[in-house]
Amino acid sequence: MIRSGVNNIYISLDIETTGLDNKTDEIIEIGAVRFNETGIIDKYESLVNPYKQLPEFIKDLTGIKQYEVDNASAFSIVSQDLESFIGDNIIIGQNIEFDLGFLSNKGLTLLNQYYDTRDIAHIILPRAKDYSLGSLARELNITHDNPHRALADAAITSSVFLQLKSLVAKLDKTLLNQIRNIYSKSDSHLKTFFTTVNSITSDAPSKIEYEAEEPYIPGHNEKTSANTNHIRSSTGDDRITLFFDQKGPLNSIIENYTQRPQQNQLACKVYKAINNSDTLLVEGGTGVGKSMAYLLPAILFSLEQNSRVVISTNTINLQEQLINKDLPTVKKALTSFLDTENELNFSLLKGKDNYLCLEKWGNLLRENSFSKDEARLAAKLAIWINDTNSGDRNEINLSARDRILWSKISSAYSNDCPSHHQTRSSKCFLAIARQKAEDSHIVVVNHALLMRDAIDGGGVIPNYNNLVIDEAHNLEEEATNQYGSKISSRELIDWLNETNDTKGIVAKTVAALEKFEAGSRKDIIDKVVGKIKLNLKHLEDANKILWNTLFNFVMNQDLSKDRRQTILRINHATRKQPDWSAIEVSWEQNNTVLLDLKENFLDLSLALENTPKKNAVDSLLLTTEISDITTKLDEFKKALHDFVIDPHLGNIYWVTTESNNEDVNLHTAPIHVGEILKEKLFSKKDSVIITSATLSTNGDFEYTKDRLGLIDAEEMSVESPFNYQKAVLLCLPTDMPNPDHHEYQNKLQEIIVEICNAANGRTMVLFTSHSALQATRSGIKNLLAPKGFKVLAQGLDGNPYNLRSMFMENSNSVLLGTSSFWQGVDLPGDSLKALVVARLPFSVPTDPIFSARAELLDDPFNQYTIPQTILRFRQGFGRLIRTEQDQGVVAILDHRILSKSYGPMFINSLPTCTTVKSSIVDMYDAISKWIK
Ligand code: SF4
């Protein structure tokens, strides 16, 4: 029997363990606090003897020493004290099911009611960037000085819980009732929590009385502020110079505005290119003010020619900067400059799957039961819908599980929206976003949408003839993702399970049939449903054989297997192996079942369409879902057929398998996206501006031109206005061991520690592999801790977003990052003084995309490997200097930059810095002087 709690007394509980597996790992510390609304009443804390060695990582993380746990009591003794401390009270915890599962596995099964603060936070703080305990404490202004110790974490969790509870109590009564209604259909542990929280906005009803027929969406009926534009045409190239002039309109809008000749030069060139319908590659160094430099000519052209310009970016950061800062600034400046009012319209448009579909949301609320995950997402959305105008999922933080569920309520329909809902565009987030884009001169999109729209031949982005692509150094990769595909065994198994489960199409059709009267094609539908059930069973069996055959095929290859993943490229030679035929046979069996299944779904759809009018609503919902299913079946069938039987010459194919399960993923990517981009996108536009801070290598644009299919494009490079000789000390140690030398790792750690001392923290180290990052973290943590320096390692101490915040807030820290820190991360000002590049960022030679592309070239190393690595290297280097005031040190600890013939190309691709080529010892001296 579940214990239900006593007089609003709660127990906040936390454990520390030797690892995450409750079968093989052990508990090493337990902390708990008894508390009520006024605060902590009592505390319990005990170390636990695991009777095994503590992993180094756990000692680092918690600070718990081996001798401390060796002297502690066994869990069987500690657990008795803990059980009596907890009593019958409600247990509170962060990710509490992990703790309860661990305790239960070790012999203490607690049947108390429990609430998870992470789940509550997910709901009540839908926009929070992160739901870890540390982040929640920061978000709620709770000081958390001693993380990863059980008692401290339990105490902080109690404060977090009380604050979250008070936020729930402040919810609008109708909204709170909607959440209660959602939870009333779920067996989640939070059902009681939401029922018992007393609303302080008004008297909360004693029982659930609200039945949502329509989602509660106050304030969401506002129409877009679309208007008709009166566009002036009296502008020209000379205006750009006046606009950016020191005494021009920007001077009164931007604080400490400084005119930059480079910005003006770039803007004039872009203006000319757009007006002449040219294709232009333009590289703008850091600090040029590139975005304003292309926005102004794009805007002028759009206003003059009444022609829309689309701007595509890769990162959300840049999108937000354009929409929230740069475009409003240019608009404001232009208003006085051109003596016009509100003439410029601009908007942000995303892919369909980014917007919530209110029709699907309404259908979700009408479901009879919710799983724990569904209830949490539905409640979270209920709160978010209450204050979003965009319905854009990027406003909220979705967990991996949420993201899967999101696909069921997003506006992405395989086919068109259901006909009965197409008239409700005033309440449709997607329709509002599209209408705004239709009414805009400038539409900002991301590369993914740009590519998808080009693949589909348009239809999402409103018609446009002029395109600006910023952050173009990411374009090849994004085009590769969009033109490629991935079929995952897990996704298909889940899809089959969902189709077959109590909420799947079969169960829904059977339920609908009960409402149909005899004679209304009930018998036919019944018969087809029977056939579909059988098909699904056959498909499940055939699928299992196919994935097993693929998995075994990969495992039987002579591959050096990575700890987590095995990768096998599938080329002509692989397909010639005798075992491949077993995969072909398995696929043919799948194909036969899939054809049958699709046929039967089409028969079902036809039968449902012909039912009498009184069944119309049910039939319509079912046929819409069936249409989505048959589209999915077609896509799946085609992708598998191409992969197994009929590979395309222009594609790269490879299989990955996960080591912790038998999941198999089939990947496809185009070998050369340049040809595709040229045909599907660039050739269809009047003008194309491609820009980034890193397009050239060693002063040459040929690599980028070739990769993007822009051989005939004009090119231009505008140098950074920053004085890098004054800003950067570039350190190239002459006695650094090569990366494959056994002394390299120790030397790397020693140098990082010295640089960190000299820079007083404020150091970022860029790695090319997570294993190297992990090894370095272990090596430097104890050396830096006594001096008060904190090590923040990507993936170990937090996600990139959290680490960036912690690094900015805590100057005594060293940040260790891999791929996502090489580009797009802005750490301006004094927060970053030293940047260490551990290795030059070469691609892994066995990477299927890399190796397939390299094979096509006469001199792959010089034509592909070197330029690709230089562009990444330049991105990494660019993290240090973000503003004119920034100053610091860059240390390249890969000796190949000095010893190899290609080294000078890397150095020449950087701006001219003050450079030290010296012994490591002399380098320390130079660094200390430079940073002081
Ligand atoms: S119009 Fe389509 S996308 Fe929009 S809410 Fe209706 S069904 Fe969803």
Side-chain angles (χ1 to χ4, degrees), residues 136 143 481 507 743:
L136 287 178
T143 310
N481 291 340
E743 280 178 13

Side-chain angles (χ1 to χ4, degrees), residues 357-360 411 413 417-418 421-422 427-430:
C357 167
L358 291 172
E359 168 78 352
K360 289 183 184 170
S411 296
Y413 282 83
C417 299
H421 206 250
Q422 285 178 357
K427 274 191 172 184
C428 172
F429 290 120
L430 174 64

Side-chain angles (χ1 to χ4, degrees), residues 12 15 70 138 201 244 277 318 363 478 523 532 559 642 798 838:
S12 175
I15 62 172
D70 288 346
R138 258 200 307 281
T201 54
F244 286 117
S277 301
L318 183 55
N363 289 341
E478 193 50 55
D523 295 348
I532 289 175
L559 299 164
D642 289 354

Side-chain angles (χ1 to χ4, degrees), residues 542-543 545-547 549-550 581-591:
N543 227 316
I545 295 169
L546 174 66
W547 295 119
T549 315
L550 271 159
S581 58
I583 297 169
E584 290 175 339
V585 171
S586 307
W587 160 243
E588 288 302 347
Q589 283 163 358
N590 263 267
N591 193 23

Side-chain angles (χ1 to χ4, degrees), residues 1 162 390 393 517 519 673 718 852 908 910 922:
M1 200 179 105
L162 290 177
S390 73
R393 72 168 179 182
E517 282 169 19
V673 295
V718 181
N908 294 340
L910 301 179
D922 289 345

